């Protein structure tokens, strides 16, 4: 059972590492979404198998990834808001759309910083 637990955590951790690098080089909608999903799946594995993986390592991963997940959530929320705005069919939203683009650029900068601050996970 311990081998299975460790394999599950390591598999999900490898995916998070891949998505961190991918998002750092391309913070478009899909990579940001995939990063969030990979972190959440790792969190679930750590909830189940954290004791086997090691309490200290589990705590360190959670602490390093929490700010990344929060920042990615801000970017993703903006992406969804822009999608809904586009689907609304409102013609008089150019100013709002531009403000949302500027906010996404700021949020993306924060996300990149949080990824770099997370270091090697």
């Amino acid at each position: 059972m311990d081998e299975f637990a460790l394999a599950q955590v390591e598999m999900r951790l490898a995916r998070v590492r891949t998505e961190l690098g991918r998002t750092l080089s391309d913070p478009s909608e899909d990579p940001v979404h995939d990063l969030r999903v990979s972190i959440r799946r790792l969190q679930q594995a750590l909830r189940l198998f954290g004791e086997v993986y090691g309490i200290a390592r589990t705590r360190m991963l959670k602490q390093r990834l929490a700010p990344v997940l929060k920042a990615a959530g801000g970017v993703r929320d903006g992406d969804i808001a822009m999608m809904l705005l586009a689907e609304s069919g409102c013609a008089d939203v150019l100013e709002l759309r531009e403000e949302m683009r500027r906010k996404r650029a700021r949020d993306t900068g924060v996300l990149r910083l949080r990824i770099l601050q997370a270091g090697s996970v």
Side-chain angles (χ1 to χ4, degrees):
M1 179 67 172
D2 287 357
E3 287 180 28
F4 174 79
L6 291 174
Q8 293 301 307
V9 172
E10 287 298 328
M11 179 178 67
R12 283 164 178 78
L13 182 55
R15 180 62 186 253
V16 167
R17 288 177 177 139
T18 297
E19 297 303 336
L20 285 167
R22 181 175 167 224
T23 304
L24 196 56
S25 64
D26 174 18
S28 61
E29 289 181 37
D30 287 340
V32 171
H33 172 71
D34 293 345
L35 174 62
R36 292 185 73 228
V37 169
S38 70
I39 292 173
R40 292 172 87 164
R41 288 182 179 166
L42 175 62
Q43 287 175 330
Q44 290 298 318
L46 291 172
R47 280 189 194 113
L48 289 172
F49 307 123
E51 210 168 282
V52 174
Y53 190 68
I55 300 300
R57 287 194 296 178
T58 296
R59 185 178 304 122
M60 180 271 303
L61 281 173
K62 288 180 178 181
Q63 288 174 345
R64 285 189 180 176
L65 292 174
V68 175
L69 185 61
K70 183 177 180 179
V75 173
R76 182 73 179 141
D77 289 348
D79 289 342
I80 291 169
M82 284 192 289
M83 179 189 68
L84 292 172
L85 182 64
E87 290 175 359
S88 73
C90 296
D92 191 26
V93 293
L94 292 177
E95 188 176 317
L96 178 58
R97 187 176 299 151
E98 187 54 38
E99 176 56 34
M100 292 173 85
R101 283 189 188 124
R102 287 192 298 269
K103 183 176 182 328
R104 189 191 197 281
R106 289 189 305 270
D107 290 347
T108 299
V110 171
L111 174 58
R112 284 184 162 151
L113 178 63
R114 296 296 179 255
I115 290 172
L116 292 171
Q117 288 173 336
S120 61
V121 291

